[in-house]
């Protein structure tokens, strides 16, 4: 399998995810009277949640690939060293800029002081769930980092220590668990910001990384994703059209659908022969 570091198109996907989030939060905004702009924003262009999930799926795909390759190269020896190295690299990459942001926000917004502990411990998503409000914090946008850091506290241990023959079942269970958990907590407004409700995206990203370890397993996975994608786009556009129809059918499976589309995009980039995407 090709070294993922050589596929620069994955960085393009990450940038695309960030752009979708920025557009979702900062606009432009259109009213229904602005027909073309409203149609493009509401139907054609994926929303901010899609961007967040693309980032989740891609991040887990890349990190799981790194962990699995490290495990294979070490022949299941010194796995604790791999875990330590993972946490150290993660901390050096995320902590400095994150805590600098919190330091700045602390002096800019008075509401930060009331839940500083949640921000310092990467649990702001739990705070938002507790108060059941998106506008409860000036640092609401850090919920994605909270979800990732909580998830990565346990993921390396699973990827490195579970018998490799059973890893696929772990990924499948994660996908099912995330979808079911989202459905069961649908009526709670801030429930989607809990880590357990993001497990479908994490699971499918990890599953693709696992599948790529074996050429035949990878071929089957990619073939099934490509076969599934036409059926996934039907509920995707049906739900997106709810801004016109007010029909919310399928909203509980929105993130699951997003996850399938996200991993399909990764498959396309990984297998694309264009020099523009691969380099």
């Amino acid at each position: 399998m090709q070294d993922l570091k050589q596929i620069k198109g994955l960085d393009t996907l990450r940038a695309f995810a960030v752009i979708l989030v920025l557009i979702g939060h900062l606009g432009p905004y259109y009213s229904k009277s602005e027909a073309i702009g409203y149609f493009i924003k509401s139907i054609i262009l994926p929303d901010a949640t899609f961007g967040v999930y693309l980032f989740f799926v891609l991040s887990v795909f890349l990190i799981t690939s790194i962990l699995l390759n490290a495990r294979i190269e070490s022949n299941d020896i010194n796995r604790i060293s791999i875990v330590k190295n993972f946490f150290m690299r993660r901390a050096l990459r995320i902590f400095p800029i994150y805590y600098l942001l919190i330091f700045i926000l602390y002096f800019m917004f008075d509401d930060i002081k009331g839940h500083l502990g949640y921000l310092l411990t990467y649990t702001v998503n739990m705070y938002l769930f507790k108060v059941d409000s998106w506008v409860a914090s000036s640092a609401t946008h850090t919920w994605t980092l909270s979800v990732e850091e909580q998830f990565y506290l346990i993921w390396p241990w699973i990827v490195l220590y579970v018998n490799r023959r059973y890893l696929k079942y772990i990924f499948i269970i994660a996908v099912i668990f995330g979808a079911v958990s989202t459905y069961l907590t649908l009526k709670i407004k801030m429930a989607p910001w809990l880590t357990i409700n993001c497990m479908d995206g994490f699971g499918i990203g990890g599953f693709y990384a696992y599948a790529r370890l074996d050429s035949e397993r990878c071929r089957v996975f990619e073939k099934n994703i490509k076969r599934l994608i036409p059926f996934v786009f039907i509920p995707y556009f049906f739900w997106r059209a709810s801004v016109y129809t007010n029909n919310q059918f399928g909203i509980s499976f929105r993130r699951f659908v997003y996850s399938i589309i996200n991993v399909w995009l990764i498959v396309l980039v990984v297998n694309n022969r264009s020099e523009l995407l691969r380099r």
Side-chain angles (χ1 to χ4, degrees):
M1 291 297 175
Q2 182 182 8
D3 186 353
L4 296 176
K5 293 180 180 179
Q6 299 176 9
I7 306 176
K8 300 304 181 183
L10 296 175
D11 291 330
T12 303
L13 274 185
R14 186 182 287 109
F16 178 61
V18 172
I19 290 171
L20 290 177
V21 173
L22 291 176
I23 291 175
H25 288 286
L26 302 178
Y29 301 104
Y30 300 96
S31 64
K32 285 189 176 181
S33 62
E34 300 172 285
I36 296 178
Y38 188 80
F39 179 79
I40 293 175
K41 182 79 180 289
S42 302
I43 304 294
I44 304 301
L45 189 68
D47 59 12
T49 302
F50 184 95
V52 169
Y53 247 55
L54 175 54
F55 192 84
F56 282 167
V57 175
L58 179 57
S59 293
V60 174
F61 167 66
L62 292 172
I63 286 177
T64 304
S65 298
I66 292 171
L67 290 171
L68 286 173
N69 287 329
R71 178 177 180 175
I72 292 172
E73 289 174 3
S74 69
N75 197 28
D76 283 344
I77 299 174
N78 272 339
R79 282 178 284 187
I80 192 65
S81 296
I82 298 175
V83 174
K84 289 180 179 178
N85 184 56
F86 170 81
F87 285 130
M88 182 62 68
R89 290 170 63 90
R90 184 90 186 159
L92 291 175
R93 181 178 180 181
I94 302 297
F95 284 12
I97 190 64
Y98 175 77
Y99 285 114
L100 175 61
L101 172 66
I102 300 306
F103 178 79
I104 294 172
L105 293 178
Y106 181 84
F107 293 102
M108 291 181 62
F109 301 99
D110 290 336
D111 68 300
I112 295 295
K113 300 174 183 178
H115 54 279
L116 183 61
Y118 288 95
L119 289 166
L120 295 177
T121 57
Y122 286 95
T123 52
V124 72
N125 62 325
M126 296 182 182
Y127 171 74
L128 298 175
F129 177 77
K130 176 183 176 181
V131 299
D132 198 25
S133 173
W134 172 255
V135 295
S137 171
S138 298
T140 298
H141 55 285
T142 63
W143 75 271
T144 56
L145 282 174
S146 296
V147 167
E148 283 203 328
E149 294 309 303
Q150 292 162 26
F151 175 75
Y152 287 131
L153 279 177
I154 61 171
W155 195 243
W157 304 101
I158 293 174
V159 173
L160 292 172
Y161 282 91
V162 170
N163 190 305
R164 271 183 270 172
R165 290 181 298 177
Y166 304 126
L167 273 176
K168 64 180 179 180
Y169 302 112
I170 297 294
F171 301 133
I172 293 172
I173 290 172
V175 173
I176 296 173
F177 184 84
V180 172
S181 177
T182 298
Y183 174 76
L184 294 176
T185 58
L186 184 62
K187 293 183 179 179
I188 304 175
K189 183 170 62 176
M190 298 306 296
W193 280 257
L194 294 177
T195 303
I196 57 173
N197 287 346
C198 301
M199 292 300 294
D200 44 2
F202 292 145
I204 198 166
F207 200 166
Y208 185 35
Y210 169 79
R212 279 178 51 82
L213 293 179
D214 178 85
S215 58
E216 176 60 21
R217 187 166 60 216
C218 182
R219 185 190 66 81
V220 171
F221 179 93
E222 293 178 348
K223 182 177 70 174
N224 288 333
I225 288 294
K226 292 175 182 178
R227 285 178 174 176
L228 184 61
I229 205 67
F231 301 99
V232 169
F233 272 117
I234 293 173
Y236 169 78
F237 283 112
F238 189 82
W239 179 82
R240 295 286 285 166
S242 65
V243 295
Y244 290 102
T245 65
N246 293 320
N247 191 322
Q248 295 293 304
F249 175 77
I251 190 174
S252 58
F253 301 106
R254 177 179 56 162
R255 291 189 170 197
F256 174 73
V257 168
Y258 283 0
S259 298
I260 299 295
I261 297 175
N262 292 156
V263 81
W264 173 67
L265 291 175
I266 296 172
V267 169
L268 291 181
V269 170
V270 167
N271 291 284
N272 196 285
R273 301 307 176 198
S274 168
E275 292 298 316
L276 179 64
L277 280 180
R278 295 178 70 81
R279 294 183 181 178

